[in-house]
Amino acid sequence: MAQTVLITLTIAGPDTGPFDLYCVSGSGIVTGPFETGISRAALLAGYVSTLVPDTCGTIRVQSDNDDCPNYIDLVLPATTTTTTQTPTTTTTAAPGTTTTTTILITTSTTAAPTTTTTTSGGGGTTTTTTSAGTTTTTTSAGTTSTTTTTTTEAPTTTTTTLVAGCTSYDLFYNAILGDPDAQGSYTDCIGDTILFTISPSQTITFCAEPGTIVVTVGNPNVLETNNGPC
């Protein structure tokens, strides 16, 4: 392995160069040159070396010139590397196959339209109104009014569609008798939020949408096991 280092000389006499690069320690040169024949102009402009050993803490820039064999030791600054990884939630269906599943719930409702019919004749007036499955008939004749109301159940159609992906889970409360019960919630396969309570050393099993289990009391002693699709 090697590290990449920018090496720049601010001053270099006209009789210096070409240059060789060594990795050194307090006791002197510890490796042979990892780069050779670098020109004075390149180092004055700023030379990028990709061959610096990972363990190298000081670079010696040595002039390979009989008239001017000078060198300078450059101490490398300490570096810190931080790696950030974005968490990904997946459901594994079979060895070597990874599937990300989304649950979609669609609900539609159909209601009957409203219709009003009015009939006038010599014997009076009759009005019939139909709305959402309810029919009302009113008949008026002279000074006598008769109202007849007939009610039927509204024809409502509800359709729910689920995309497969619900997962079976075991929750085990790793506690001793006498400890307070653990509590939490999860979202079931039709989108409802379900509350649960677990006693010490108890296990409960249910189907839930992945990533929706929340333990509000007893965490992290509530242990979760994914049993696969349900």
Side-chain angles (χ1 to χ4, degrees), residues 46-226:
Y47 177 75
V48 177
S49 175
T50 59
L51 302 176
V52 181
D54 276 346
T55 57
C56 189
T58 301
I59 297 175
R60 174 166 295 179
V61 182
Q62 173 79 55
S63 174
D64 186 10
N65 188 314
D66 292 338
D67 295 331
C68 186
N70 292 344
Y71 67 84
I72 184 172
D73 287 345
L74 305 176
V75 179
L76 299 179
T79 59
T80 301
T81 302
T82 302
T83 302
T84 303
Q85 183 177 359
T86 303
T88 302
T89 302
T90 60
T91 300
T92 301
T97 301
T98 302
T99 304
T100 300
T101 304
T102 302
I103 293 181
L104 174 64
I105 299 177
T106 304
T107 302
S108 61
T109 301
T110 304
T114 299
T115 302
T116 301
T117 302
T118 302
T119 303
S120 299
T125 300
T126 300
T127 300
T128 302
T129 301
T130 303
S131 177
T134 300
T135 301
T136 302
T137 302
T138 303
T139 303
S140 300
T143 58
T144 302
S145 176
T146 302
T147 300
T148 303
T149 300
T150 303
T151 302
T152 59
E153 184 179 355
T156 300
T157 303
T158 300
T159 304
T160 300
T161 304
L162 298 180
V163 178
C166 228
T167 302
S168 174
Y169 292 92
D170 288 338
L171 291 189
F172 171 68
Y173 186 23
N174 186 22
I176 61 175
L177 295 178
D179 286 345
D181 291 345
Q183 300 175 7
S185 65
Y186 63 89
T187 302
D188 66 11
C189 301
I190 61 173
D192 292 333
T193 299
I194 308 298
L195 303 179
F196 63 80
T197 299
I198 314 177
S199 299
S201 299
Q202 181 186 6
T203 299
I204 61 174
T205 301
F206 52 80
C207 287
E209 294 183 21
T212 63
I213 301 174
V214 177
V215 180
T216 55
V217 177
N219 189 33
N221 291 330
V222 175
L223 307 180
E224 176 183 320
T225 301
N226 185 328

